[in-house]
Each structure stands twice: as C-alpha cells, then as structure tokens.
Amino acid sequence: MQFAQAGDKHPAAKPLKGFGGGGILEIVEDYDRGSYRAVYAVRFKEAVYVLHVFQKKSRKGIETARSDVNLIKERLKWATQMHAQQSG
C-alpha cells in the first residue's frame, strides 16, 4: 500500500473485475502453497482504503468468492460514506 500512499501503482496491482475501472485494485501474492489477495480503493484523492485482505481458498479457477466480493462491496460503501463525511 506504500505505493498507493505515494500516488504510485504497485507493479503487481490490477483493477478488480466487476468494480468499474481502476479505482479498486487487487494484488495477488503466492506464498507457501497458498494464494493471498489484498483489495484496496484508490478512487479517493486524500485516502487509500484497504477493503479486504484474505487467502483465496478455492482451488478451482481464479474467480473471487461471492462472499469476499460482497464484503468488498460493503466495505467500499462504508469507505465512500466515511470519505464523504470527512471531505464535507
């Protein structure tokens, strides 16, 4: 997240599918036979919000589990509200 805080993009960061554009990014890291993901929002000028960090459990496909997507959506909604309160 240090890259995002400095206004840069980590080389491994990519837009999370289903969230419209590059405002929600995902970094995938493989470690010790597991795959881990960090999802964060960079759509706000003054803040970076980490929305979810988790270990991908499914061994089928690369799709993010619906429960994780729903949690990311909930936290993005919260972050949007918090940002609006702090900015206004």
Side-chain angles (χ1 to χ4, degrees):
M1 300 314 135
Q2 194 172 22
F3 283 91
Q5 289 173 330
D8 295 326
K9 182 180 168 190
H10 189 280
K14 61 182 182 179
L16 183 62
K17 291 180 183 179
F19 285 85
I24 307 301
L25 300 176
E26 170 185 48
I27 296 177
V28 178
E29 182 69 31
D30 293 325
Y31 176 77
D32 194 27
R33 296 183 300 184
S35 184
Y36 300 85
R37 296 178 180 204
V39 178
Y40 59 101
V42 293
R43 61 170 55 169
F44 309 106
K45 185 176 180 180
E46 300 85 12
V48 175
Y49 290 93
V50 177
L51 303 174
H52 193 30
V53 179
F54 59 101
Q55 180 179 9
K56 184 176 179 310
K57 305 252 179 173
S58 173
R59 300 195 186 274
K60 297 180 192 174
I62 59 171
E63 189 171 306
T64 304
R66 182 161 308 281
S67 59
D68 289 314
V69 171
N70 290 340
L71 184 57
I72 292 165
K73 286 179 180 179
E74 255 182 60
R75 290 179 177 171
L76 177 58
K77 183 178 177 180
W78 174 86
T80 301
Q81 292 170 345
M82 291 301 297
H83 187 75
Q85 287 176 1
Q86 292 174 358
S87 297

